[in-house]
Amino acid sequence: MTRQFDGDKLVVASHNKGKVKEITELLAPFGVTAVSAGDLGLAEPEETGTTFEANAKIKALAAARGANLPALADDSGLCVDALGGEPGVYSARWGGESKNFNLAMEKLQEALSKARAYDARDRGAHFACALCLAWPDGHTETFVGKVEGKIVYPPRGNRGFGYDPMFVAEDMTKTFAEIDPAEKHAISHRARAFQGLIKACFSGREG
Ligand code: IMP
């Protein structure tokens, strides 16, 4: 049976400020105080999984046990069709040690050129997200979401984070970095996984 979240505080198991901000905003209507793993000084576990679900579980369990509180982890990334799904679970790592996403976006453009994916029709991609809610006793609940779109170059916009300036969602013309955060929250991979989480684990607490 799906376990309900009945507390009022949880750890966001991430050190990524962009993600922590988005998850905190998504949680706000549910009367939940979010504290980040970074602020608690928790170590970042090694992401040894080969799927978003596996890595989300590793991070959520590490934070839940480390903080002795329920913890919510997000593992997400950009999967590009012409690159066989890359960078996928390695999306953060394409930014190098310093997590430089200008570098990662240039690398992406180079990889697409090498794959001769020049036209919009060859530039299909999706963002995927797995959210895992874990409790200190080891119980976990996992939810996934994705948003289809395409890669554009050069990058446009200065909102959002990561690969947002190069991603235009289906039926849109602006990148995720050009639109209002509320617009991104309405359709993003993270928002879709979040809807599954809320429906299953936060029933009766809706905004
Ligand atoms: P993770 O911390 O291993 O899950 O890293 C996910 C990486 O995927 C991030 O560092 C970003 O580069 C990328 N990513 C995930 N979600 C988004 C998003 O909503 N916008 C832009 N990039 C994203």
Side-chain angles (χ1 to χ4, degrees):
M1 208 175 108
T2 308
R3 189 183 286 186
Q4 293 296 302
F5 175 81
D6 55 11
D8 55 10
K9 188 171 171 187
L10 61 71
V11 181
V12 180
S14 179
H15 289 64
N16 175 328
K17 287 206 167 78
K19 264 194 204 174
V20 171
K21 179 173 180 284
E22 283 194 6
I23 294 172
T24 305
E25 284 167 7
L26 288 164
L27 281 170
F30 302 94
V32 179
T33 309
V35 42
S36 87
D39 289 344
L40 291 177
L42 299 175
E44 277 184 286
E46 214 188 319
E47 294 178 31
T48 50
T50 54
T51 62
F52 296 114
E53 289 94 326
N55 283 334
K57 196 167 168 178
I58 289 170
K59 290 189 275 191
L61 278 173
R65 290 181 171 139
N68 201 27
L69 272 175
L72 181 63
D74 160 308
D75 198 68
S76 48
L78 180 65
C79 306
V80 181
D81 301 346
L83 305 179
E86 293 251 296
V89 291
Y90 305 107
S91 295
R93 280 168 253 186
W94 275 34
E97 280 283 301
S98 57
K99 304 204 172 153
N100 178 341
F101 283 98
N102 292 323
L103 181 83
M105 288 191 285
E106 287 308 317
K107 214 166 145 179
L108 177 57
Q109 171 64 9
E110 251 171 56
L112 281 167
S113 300
K114 242 189 215 159
R116 302 190 171 278
Y118 304 114
D119 290 352
R121 66 168 188 276
D122 298 326
R123 295 196 151 218
H126 65 268
F127 269 126
C129 172
L131 281 177
C132 177
L133 180 58
W135 281 261
D137 68 357
H139 184 90
T140 60
E141 301 284 352
T142 304
F143 305 88
V144 293
K146 69 175 177 173
V147 57
E148 298 285 350
K150 63 173 191 290
I151 302 300
V152 295
Y153 190 83
R156 305 193 312 249
N158 51 19
R159 305 174 112 161
F161 68 98
Y163 298 88
D164 279 343
M166 277 179 84
F167 185 82
V168 175
E170 215 167 39
D171 301 325
M172 296 193 106
T173 52
K174 290 183 176 172
T175 69
F176 264 5
E178 291 177 306
I179 60 176
D180 197 272
E183 245 183 294
K184 181 177 173 188
H185 292 338
I187 59 161
S188 79
H189 49 311
R190 189 162 296 102
R192 286 176 177 160
F194 206 78
Q195 281 158 12
L197 166 79
I198 294 302
K199 221 169 146 190
C201 301
F202 286 66
S203 60
R205 291 173 72 128
E206 275 92 329

